[in-house]
Amino acid sequence: MPTDTKERILDSAELLFSSQGIANTSLRSLTEHAQVNLAAVNYHFQSKDALVQAVLFRRVNPINQRRMELLTALGQPSIGQILDAFYRPAVEAVLAGPEGRAVARLIGRLYSEPGDLLAGQVRALMADTFRTFAESIQRALPGVPQATIIWRLHFCIGIMAHTFGAMELIEGMARGRIAYDDPEAILRQMITFASAGLRAEGESTCAAS
Amino acid sequence: MPTDTKERILDSAELLFSSQGIANTSLRSLTEHAQVNLAAVNYHFQSKDALVQAVLFRRVNPINQRRMELLTALGQPSIGQILDAFYRPAVEAVLAGPEGRAVARLIGRLYSEPGDLLAGQVRALMADTFRTFAESIQRALPGVPQATIIWRLHFCIGIMAHTFGAMELIEGMARGRIAYDDPEAILRQMITFASAGLRAEGESTCAAS
DNA sequence: GTCTATAGGGTGATAGAC
DNA sequence: GTCTATCACCCTATAGAC
């Protein structure tokens, strides 16, 4: 339960933006949901765009910081360890509390949200993390061309973004055969798949690791 | 250059929905772009929601039909062949003509667009294709549990959705080191990565295919 | 810091002439 | 089939009282 106005606005914005989309969420419905006055949004944040940015930063910055901590704590990491450092902070943020689903959708839609304004923000938000992890993977896989590393790291991000952004669709299509109730199991599925993908040989035959 | 009103509306809707988002695109800006009268949208389609559905179906149904054709043409397909049948029709739709980017973003955002209305449509649109490909992969990988197959097929979709939905972001972050100018090369990257991921062993060690 | 009130404009949908 | 005109409503942002 949030206490002050600013936090209540952020929490409601996160929930509504992620479930209905940003453009579909009016400041009126937002302030009604947060039980604050309409003008409070424009007082605490300057505009709706700035509010979007604040919602994003609050969740994604700590995740990226944790990713860096985990990665630098490893000396000469394996591919599996690098992926664990990348995925785990995000999966755990999704775990934490009942607002997890909203955070998941927020992260899941981060990369493909339309609009030039947001695209620039996301790029700035992710650039450092992306570069650091790309370099780490390159060191672990010295034989793989740089362009291939870049494509494959984007594929790893795509796996996560889709797992987080299409939860309802995935659950619905699975008809109970898979579920989101065990985050550690999902993490394991993601790492196993992405790990093999990153280490793939060009002609998709199997070689010694 | 489209000739009749209905097609002009669909083309403009595809372009604007995919570049600005659905909620952010007003029927007024749409009809202005299409050079048709505002009332024409409600005459040819009944509502904005129905227009969204029409835009989706026009592009995705032929792709899914082609996927089925390619898959059934293969007898006992390998994982690489199954993935080619799944990815190629979508990648080639992105290739065809200058509207390719709009189609790509449309497909890329399909799975994570907010709103219950759309989610149900997407599920209905993809259910048959998903089930058929899941069964085909299961036959090619008899030792892998069903739940794992389902997760991994979703990961394969995530790879494609992110590659199509985050083009600007990916190009921007790559700073020229990768590009979208060679669709066959992208297809190869996707298939190589996803193929290794699908065939991964639980403990991410390497086994004979 | 938080409120009310309102400015100024955009929205999807439709009725009815041609 | 295509137009104009319009309805009824929602939107963000801000000025100014408390």
Side-chain angles (χ1 to χ4, degrees), chain B:
Chain B
M1 330 60 185
T3 76
D4 69 320
T5 301
K6 199 167 173 176
E7 209 175 328
R8 273 213 303 279
I9 293 172
L10 283 171
D11 288 341
S12 293
E14 179 173 278
L15 183 67
L16 296 178
F17 286 167
S18 69
S19 62
Q20 310 173 342
I22 295 169
N24 255 329
T25 303
S26 67
L27 294 186
R28 282 178 164 73
S29 64
L30 199 161
T31 52
E32 190 183 1
H33 183 274
Q35 304 231 53
V36 297
N37 190 271
L38 171 61
V41 171
N42 288 76
Y43 175 76
H44 287 287
F45 311 88
Q46 288 81 350
S47 65
K48 188 181 179 179
D49 278 337
L51 172 61
V52 171
Q53 190 177 33
V55 170
L56 230 59
F57 279 27
R58 182 174 68 145
R59 295 295 183 185
V60 179
N61 274 337
I63 289 173
N64 278 339
Q65 205 176 326
R66 185 93 186 101
R67 280 170 171 156
M68 294 294 206
E69 285 170 19
L70 289 177
L71 187 65
T72 51
L74 300 164
Q76 298 278 337
S78 69
I79 290 295
Q81 287 174 316
I82 295 169
L83 283 168
D84 190 87
F86 187 80
Y87 284 143
R88 182 174 294 279
V91 172
E92 284 180 354
V94 170
L95 231 190
E99 77 275 19
R101 290 222 153 200
V103 179
R105 278 187 295 252
L106 187 76
I107 295 169
R109 294 192 184 137
L110 233 193
Y111 304 95
S112 63
E113 270 281 341
D116 296 338
L117 209 147
L118 205 57
Q121 291 181 4
V122 172
R123 190 173 149 188
L125 202 59
M126 297 302 301
D128 278 357
T129 304
F130 188 90
R131 184 163 20 80
T132 303
F133 274 83
E135 285 166 5
S136 188
I137 293 168
Q138 180 73 81
R139 272 194 296 276
L141 298 171
V144 180
Q146 190 189 35
T148 299
I149 298 278
I150 293 173
W151 275 116
R152 291 183 183 179
L153 181 49
H154 281 298
F155 294 158
C156 291
I157 292 173
I159 288 165
M160 181 191 67
H162 189 250
T163 302
F164 289 173
M167 289 184 293
E168 277 75 17
L169 187 70
I170 289 174
E171 282 183 330
M173 300 222 303
R175 298 174 161 276
R177 289 167 298 175
I178 62 174
Y180 280 78
D181 52 8
D182 185 354
E184 202 65 35
I186 295 177
L187 190 62
R188 205 162 44 239
Q189 290 281 5
M190 287 167 61
I191 292 173
T192 303
F193 184 96
S195 191
L198 280 177
R199 292 182 289 111
E201 294 288 323
E203 294 305 306
S204 58
T205 52
C206 206
S209 67

Side-chain angles (χ1 to χ4, degrees), chain A residues 38-94:
Chain A
L38 171 61
V41 172
N42 290 75
Y43 174 77
H44 288 287
F45 312 88
Q46 288 79 354
S47 64
K48 188 182 179 180
D49 278 336
L51 172 61
V52 172
Q53 190 176 31
V55 170
L56 230 58
F57 279 29
R58 181 174 69 145
R59 295 295 182 186
V60 179
N61 274 337
I63 289 174
N64 279 338
Q65 204 176 326
R66 185 92 187 104
R67 280 170 170 156
M68 294 294 206
E69 285 171 18
L70 290 176
L71 186 66
T72 52
L74 301 163
Q76 299 277 339
S78 69
I79 289 295
Q81 287 175 315
I82 295 170
L83 283 168
D84 190 88
F86 187 80
Y87 285 143
R88 183 173 293 279
V91 172
E92 285 180 354
V94 170

